[in-house]
């Protein structure tokens, strides 16, 4: 079998996340159907992660296998997929990789953005969380730096997941303010289910003055999800970048 990576982006508004679910439309299902139709064979793509309902991806990777007898023109496949897929899913690139390359397990780092708008804006309705209260961005950035002190982020993980460890290495965590927009950027080697939305929700508690820096540190130390803030809405979250080693490519 030959393996190919597809690099894509999608607006998650109309989908119940990436992963196939019964009785709900997902990005994986739509991409599978498009590939099956174009290649005239059964295709099951494997994604680099699982985005939740309403979450967007400006950079996402999926891989699929075809029989070694099949010859694919990668540029033509990308072109045909873009013609076939709905307007809220865009194929950026298709390329061959080594047979053992894996979009999820070979990722070295992932970067997410979370967007908040302080003013009512109809053009941000599906991409930003409208926050109705004042936030101390400086305090939120001070709290974000505390994340670098830890590796176990059980306090920000969805309960009863099937992962072997809740340890993650965070490389970047910061807020930037631009007019009435706030953007949180967080980069790590891996993320737990619901982790970014839980971190943002807890940092917002700091920004509102409902939690101080010491409280934030204690939340992480407690390894108890009930001590952290609420998960923020999914529609403000974007998977922004996935990094892979150059060695995965079939050069």
């Amino acid at each position: 079998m030959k393996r190919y990576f597809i690099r894509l982006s999608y607006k998650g508004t109309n989908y119940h996340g990436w992963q196939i679910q019964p009785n709900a439309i997902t990005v994986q299902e739509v991409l599978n159907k498009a590939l099956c139709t174009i290649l005239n064979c059964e295709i099951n793509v494997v994604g680099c992660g699982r985005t939740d309902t309403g979450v967007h991806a400006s950079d996402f990777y999926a891989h699929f296998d075809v029989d070694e007898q099949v010859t694919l023109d990668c540029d033509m496949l990308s072109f045909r997929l873009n013609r076939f897929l709905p307007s809220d899913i865009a194929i950026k690139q298709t390329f061959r990789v080594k047979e053992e390359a894996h979009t999820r397990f070979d990722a070295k780092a992932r970067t997410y953005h979370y967007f908040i708008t302080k003013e009512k804006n109809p053009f941000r309705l599906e991409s930003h969380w409208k926050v109705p209260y004042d936030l101390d961005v400086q305090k939120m950035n001070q709290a974000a730096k505390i994340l670098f002190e830890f590796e176990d982020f059980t306090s920000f993980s969805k309960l009863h997941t099937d992962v072997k460890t809740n340890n993650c290495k965070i490389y970047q965590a910061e807020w930037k303010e631009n007019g009435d927009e706030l953007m949180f950027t967080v980069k790590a080697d891996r993320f737990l289910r619901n982790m970014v939305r839980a971190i943002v929700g807890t940092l917002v508690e700091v920004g509102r003055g409902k939690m101080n820096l010491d409280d934030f540190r204690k939340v992480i130390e407690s390894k108890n999800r009930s001590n952290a803030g609420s998960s923020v809405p999914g529609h403000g979250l974007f998977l922004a970048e996935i990094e892979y080693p150059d060695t995965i490519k079939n050069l």
Side-chain angles (χ1 to χ4, degrees):
M1 301 294 282
K2 294 188 291 191
R3 178 159 293 182
Y4 293 84
F5 270 29
I6 298 177
R7 188 181 185 191
L8 64 147
S9 60
Y10 56 84
K11 181 182 178 185
T13 305
N14 295 324
Y15 302 98
H16 289 258
W18 161 261
Q19 191 166 346
I20 288 178
Q21 299 179 34
N23 306 316
I25 189 72
T26 67
V27 180
Q28 185 183 30
E29 177 187 351
V30 172
L31 185 55
N32 274 346
K33 288 181 178 178
L35 282 166
C36 289
T37 301
I38 292 171
L39 299 179
N40 196 30
C41 61
E42 188 69 23
I43 298 290
N44 291 297
V45 295
V46 177
C48 60
R50 294 182 292 186
T51 56
D52 293 330
T53 298
V55 174
H56 316 288
S58 46
D59 199 32
F60 194 93
Y61 287 81
H63 73 252
F64 68 95
D65 296 327
V66 294
D67 190 276
E68 61 181 8
Q69 304 300 322
V70 177
T71 300
L72 287 187
D73 181 325
C74 291
D75 291 340
M76 180 55 67
L77 178 59
S78 295
F79 174 79
R80 294 185 68 188
L81 281 170
N82 277 322
R83 293 287 299 269
F84 193 90
L85 290 165
S87 58
D88 51 11
I89 301 175
I91 305 301
K92 299 179 181 180
Q93 186 184 14
T94 304
F95 56 96
R96 190 176 173 189
V97 294
K98 294 180 178 178
E99 293 175 13
E100 67 275 13
H102 198 287
T103 51
R104 179 182 173 191
F105 300 133
D106 285 337
K108 297 191 301 180
R110 295 170 168 84
T111 301
Y112 283 89
H113 294 318
Y114 194 88
F115 292 94
I116 287 176
T117 182
K118 294 183 283 185
E119 301 291 339
K120 185 177 180 180
N121 186 331
F123 301 106
R124 294 176 175 171
L125 190 63
E126 297 172 337
S127 60
H128 292 61
W129 176 35
K130 166 67 172 64
V131 171
Y133 25 73
D134 292 331
L135 297 174
D136 186 331
V137 180
Q138 184 178 356
K139 277 283 196 316
M140 291 161 68
N141 267 324
Q142 290 172 349
K145 290 179 181 178
I146 295 173
L147 294 168
F148 300 123
E149 301 174 16
F150 297 90
E151 290 190 352
D152 189 327
F153 293 102
T154 302
S155 296
F156 300 128
S157 173
K158 191 171 185 178
L159 299 176
H160 311 302
T161 58
D162 56 358
V163 297
K164 295 179 181 178
T165 174
N166 287 334
N167 285 7
C168 309
K169 179 64 176 176
I170 292 184
Y171 304 123
Q172 181 183 6
E174 63 178 337
W175 290 91
K176 290 187 178 179
E177 189 170 14
N178 182 19
D180 65 342
E181 180 185 70
L182 290 176
M183 182 181 75
F184 179 61
T185 300
V186 59
K187 177 180 177 180
D189 61 344
R190 62 190 291 266
F191 287 92
L192 308 172
R193 289 291 305 276
N194 210 234
M195 179 174 165
V196 179
R197 291 164 63 189
I199 288 176
V200 172
T202 311
L203 289 173
V204 166
E205 292 290 283
V206 174
R208 295 179 66 187
K210 294 199 167 189
M211 186 182 293
N212 60 36
L213 298 182
D214 192 46
D215 293 333
F216 185 79
R217 184 177 281 106
K218 288 178 179 177
V219 164
I220 305 174
E221 291 173 340
S222 73
K223 301 179 185 178
N224 188 331
R225 178 65 185 90
S226 62
N227 292 331
S230 301
S231 291
V232 292
H235 67 268
L237 183 61
F238 287 73
L239 176 54
E241 185 179 4
I242 312 286
E243 297 175 31
Y244 292 99
D246 291 336
T247 52
I248 66 168
K249 293 186 177 180
N250 191 331
L251 300 175

